[in-house]
Amino acid sequence: MLQGWIQIALTLMIVVAITPFFGQYMARVFMGQRTFLDPVLNPLDRAIFLLSGMRSREEMTGWQYSRAVLYSNLAMLMFIYLIFMLQGVLPFNPTGLRAPSWDLALHTAISFVTNTNQQHYSGETTYSYFSQFAALGFMMFTSAATGIAVAIAFIRGLTGRPLGNFYVDLTQAITRILLPISMVAALVFIAAGMPETLSGPAIVPTLDNPAVSQAIARGPVAHFEIIKELGENGGGFFGINSAHPFENPNGLTNLIELVAILSIPTSLIITYGIFANNLKQAWLVYSIPLAILVGFIVIAAIGEYQGNPAVNALLGSEAPNLEGKEVRFGWAQSALFAVFTTASMCGAVNSLHDSLMPNGGFVTLSNMFLQIVFGGQGTGTAYLFAYLILAVFVTGLMVGRTPEFLGRKIEKQEVVLASFLILLVHPIAILIPAAITLTFPEQLAGISNPGFHGLSQVIYEYASAAANNGSGLEGLGDATLWWNLSTSFSLLAGRYIPIVALLLLADNMSRKQPVPATAGTLRTDTGLFTGVTAGVILILGALTFFPVLALGPVAEAFQIAKGIG
Amino acid sequence: MSFAREAGRAIRSTLVLWVITALIYPLVMVAFGQIAFPFQANGSILTNAQGQPIGSALIGQPFTSDRYFKSRPSTTSYSTADPTKDEAGVLKTGISGASNLAPSNPDLLKRIQETTAQLKQAGIQPTADLVYTSGSSLDPHITPQGARAQIARVARIRRLQPNQLEGLINQNTESRFLGIFGEPGVNVLKLNLALDALNS
């Protein structure tokens, strides 16, 4: 048991240790300062800007930035939808797959354009190699870069700068952050055993019974794998994602995947600190999600370590819950991965979340409800600061002063935007479609596990869509017209309404006259204020969803404790 | 800015970024993998003395006969099928999958009761890895305890000394990364290939 906790602690320490360096690097990139990759990348950037028709790099307002996000994402969405529907006649299709149904292709396209990667299909049997690397792999870069760009624009606005130009930020997020790291890590992944080939599946006779053959699915996996984690995408090349030995063959690849999953959302907080010239505040803010993360890991890991009491009775000994888990990861790495992937909105899985103990179900759902336990690529950081603004407002009310954040007054419009995007959109996108689905359990829901867990399955699917996470309780029969279309609604609402609200909020903040700090100014870089913020997050973020947590995983835990059957 | 100009810029930047991230990047990586690490890049395919492919070092296989160490229960039977009656098309693409049974699902308990009974009948003391299905259904490993629980049975059928098998298990155990990250696992396909090599 101790060995498992050591693995977990060391992984967390690596994640924390790289944040100052990576955060500083990202700040240099987006402040236009020199970085060591400049000699190679400056000419590449210039070529891209020239070919994209960007002679001028004008500063954009909040509305212009939002429109650029929407237009470019719409162009990408239509482009990859076209690739899916034409995959039957496009090259690199060794298994001869035909076009998927229109609603599945639409759901996949929306799910990947929103950085979610919710998959209502199995990669091996649905999408050709070309669809995977040229459509899904493409969106993994651009949707992640869109998130980073929005976060940077938000940070710029919050710190009183102009928001910047979306296309410049999008391009630089790819050429200076996502692509160089992906190239290096993909080389390591290939050396560690991941396939990177265009050949079709290998068919071999099995050793035990040569009359039975085994089909070994493969493909260009390694390059896809790293951007899947680094970009918080999470869409597996194979149906079973990072549990597949080809997507995650050993302890080394698992460690790299874990670190990649959290590296950008953690580091962006430090990037903010450099922009705001207040690293102390950045580290204080950082401590909120880190503390929640550690608590969640402990809860989930204890659940998996203790295992299923009913099964332990059959085995006659205490054993961890290994249902849906791989031997090479065991309880510790599986629980850790489950928490990381839902905390960061990555959505890759190395064990099957449907078979997690209720502790794991509670934690993974809570992560997706809160959305700020480092949170999604870029958006998580922005949500965290939106909570900070709300905390400033709440404390301002308590002490009877006009709330200010970074020397700028928080007024009605900011509070409306921050509370609307945090408090309202998320529950609307999760609870309303879930309520409709649960009204027709036979016709719509497709629940595969009976009892309280069935409720978790439905809630999880919409929470994963609205939080742009993409993992799922995969027993759910979700490859239906209803699921494809209703989750598409949650995907789009959970992605674009907050992005536009964040950009408008940032725009408002950047236009305000700074007020000089006086003795009466509420300081936001203190432990006390950080504690208040954590309280605001837990009260506003978690209480909304507490009833479904109580009816899902909490009730299931009591059921298991009482005895199944 | 006019609609046409905004839309034009969105489309052009989409196409430029597509060429870089979706064509150049993957194809360069495929070329690199094929040149520098052809074994790994093609799926770590193991071959027999005649050079015929017989499996992958990273993917498990089903073992039911008493002459071999058993691997973990799999929901897809390790992506295998009889080529003469493969209506589901398993062999066309290869598949992966999991039970997705919740810990509170009575079906899980029923299945594990059956598996436990089968293992006991075969003279194997059940361990967690041998009764729970894996995540991918292709798990190449069992735990060292799961392997040792099978020594007596295989030694009896193959007329081998138990300590010989103990040695084979140790040789085919893949350890943690740096001795820290992950869990040790016995590669069942490699172990059984080594068994066959010992007997021949």
Side-chain angles (χ1 to χ4, degrees), chain A residues 16 49 51-53 90 109 114 117 134 178 185 208 224 259 271 285 328 339 405 468 486 555:
Chain A
V16 175
F49 294 142
L51 289 169
S52 329
L90 288 169
T114 55
N117 296 208
L178 300 174
D208 193 22
F224 190 86
V259 173
T271 306
V285 170
R328 61 191 181 283
V339 179
F405 184 63
N468 298 138
S486 64

Side-chain angles (χ1 to χ4, degrees), chain B residues 6-45:
Chain B
E6 260 188 286
R9 191 153 79 167
I11 293 167
R12 283 173 71 172
S13 80
T14 297
L15 290 177
V16 173
L17 292 175
W18 182 69
V19 170
I20 294 171
T21 60
L23 290 185
I24 296 176
Y25 165 62
L27 296 178
V28 164
M29 287 297 140
V30 169
F32 171 85
Q34 293 297 323
I35 293 164
F37 299 101
F39 174 71
Q40 290 95 319
N42 288 302
S44 308
I45 301 292

Side-chain angles (χ1 to χ4, degrees), chain A residues 63-409:
Chain A
W63 269 120
Q64 286 171 334
Y65 208 103
S66 311
R67 272 214 309 276
V69 169
L70 296 175
Y71 278 119
S72 65
N73 280 213
L74 185 65
M76 293 165 191
L77 176 78
M78 294 194 295
F79 184 58
I80 63 166
Y81 183 76
L82 217 61
I83 293 181
F84 296 152
M85 297 315 279
L86 294 175
Q87 73 171 3
V89 294
L90 288 169
F92 303 117
N93 185 5
T95 49
L97 297 168
R98 276 181 295 213
S101 69
W102 70 270
D103 54 304
L104 179 63
L106 183 69
H107 175 266
T108 310
I110 291 175
S111 155
F112 277 73
V113 90
T114 55
N115 197 234
T116 312
N117 296 208
Q118 191 168 48
Q119 295 171 296
H120 289 172
Y121 64 89
S122 204
E124 300 95 314
T125 54
T126 312
Y127 287 114
S128 70
Y129 290 177
F130 189 75
S131 293
Q132 297 246 35
F133 73 73
L136 303 179
F138 170 53
M139 288 320 309
M140 287 188 170
F141 278 99
T142 50
S143 67
T146 300
I148 297 176
V150 168
I152 293 297
F154 183 75
I155 290 172
R156 287 195 187 117
L158 218 54
T159 52
R161 295 174 170 82
L163 299 194
N165 181 303
F166 171 69
Y167 289 102
V168 174
D169 294 338
L170 178 76
T171 306
Q172 294 201 322
I174 291 175
T175 58
R176 279 152 204 263
I177 296 168
L178 300 174
L179 197 54
I181 298 175
S182 295
M183 292 183 82
V184 174
L187 304 185
V188 178
F189 276 178
I190 298 173
M194 283 186 208
E196 185 68 26
T197 178
L198 296 172
S199 323
I203 312 291
V204 300
T206 57
L207 182 62
D208 193 22
N209 179 2
V212 170
S213 294
Q214 179 180 42
I216 300 171
R218 46 190 181 170
V221 179
H223 85 273
F224 190 86
E225 195 60 29
I226 179 60
I227 188 62
K228 178 183 107 182
E229 270 90 19
L230 186 65
E232 313 306 341
N233 292 292
F237 192 91
F238 301 110
I240 217 70
N241 214 302
S242 278
H244 196 294
F246 279 164
E247 288 204 34
N248 197 354
N250 51 47
L252 167 65
T253 55
N254 196 58
L255 178 66
I256 296 175
E257 291 185 14
L258 281 169
V259 173
I261 284 173
L262 273 186
S263 58
I264 291 180
T266 49
S267 303
L268 272 173
I269 299 177
I270 304 307
T271 306
Y272 159 84
I274 293 167
F275 267 88
N277 205 10
N278 191 345
L279 272 175
K280 183 189 169 204
Q281 190 194 23
W283 281 110
L284 282 170
V285 170
Y286 189 97
S287 70
I288 303 173
L290 184 66
I292 300 176
L293 183 78
V294 170
F296 280 178
I297 291 169
V298 170
I299 295 173
I302 287 178
E304 298 312 311
Y305 176 75
Q306 289 180 334
N308 190 332
V311 177
N312 289 350
L314 284 174
L315 291 174
S317 63
E318 297 294 306
N321 170 29
L322 291 184
E323 183 72 9
K325 292 189 183 54
E326 300 282 290
V327 163
R328 61 191 181 283
F329 305 134
W331 63 273
Q333 294 291 343
S334 300
L336 186 63
F337 205 107
V339 179
F340 270 32
T341 197
T342 48
S344 67
M345 303 312 155
C346 178
V349 297
N350 81 349
S351 70
L352 274 292
H353 291 189
D354 228 349
S355 301
L356 290 176
M357 298 305 292
N359 291 20
F362 178 86
V363 163
T364 49
L365 276 169
S366 301
N367 267 331
M368 293 189 293
F369 293 152
L370 288 173
Q371 298 202 87
I372 51 88
V373 190
F374 294 112
Q377 191 89 324
T379 49
T381 316
Y383 286 141
L384 198 53
F385 284 95
Y387 269 118
L388 228 53
I389 290 173
L390 285 179
V392 169
F393 176 68
V394 170
T395 45
L397 288 180
M398 288 186 208
V399 297
R401 292 190 59 91
T402 315
E404 290 162 17
F405 184 63
L406 299 178
R408 289 176 182 76
K409 282 202 168 66

Side-chain angles (χ1 to χ4, degrees), chain B residues 106-143:
Chain B
D107 290 347
L108 174 72
L109 207 59
K110 219 175 96 195
R111 193 201 73 209
I112 290 180
Q113 271 162 351
E114 284 162 17
T115 313
T116 315
Q118 284 165 7
L119 286 171
K120 282 187 174 152
Q121 205 169 20
I124 302 168
Q125 175 59 36
T127 56
D129 54 317
L130 294 179
V131 301
Y132 283 119
T133 58
S134 63
S136 60
S137 81
L138 307 169
D139 195 344
H141 299 117
I142 52 177
T143 60

Side-chain angles (χ1 to χ4, degrees), chain A residues 63 154 383 386 389-390 411-425 497-509:
Chain A
W63 269 120
F154 183 75
Y383 286 141
I389 290 173
L390 285 179
E411 288 164 303
K412 184 185 163 210
Q413 216 180 349
E414 288 77 52
V415 174
V416 168
L417 283 170
S419 52
F420 177 68
L421 73 94
I422 294 167
L423 285 180
L424 276 179
V425 172
I497 297 172
I499 280 185
V500 172
L502 285 168
L503 289 168
L504 296 181
L505 180 64
D507 199 37
N508 275 354
M509 294 293 282

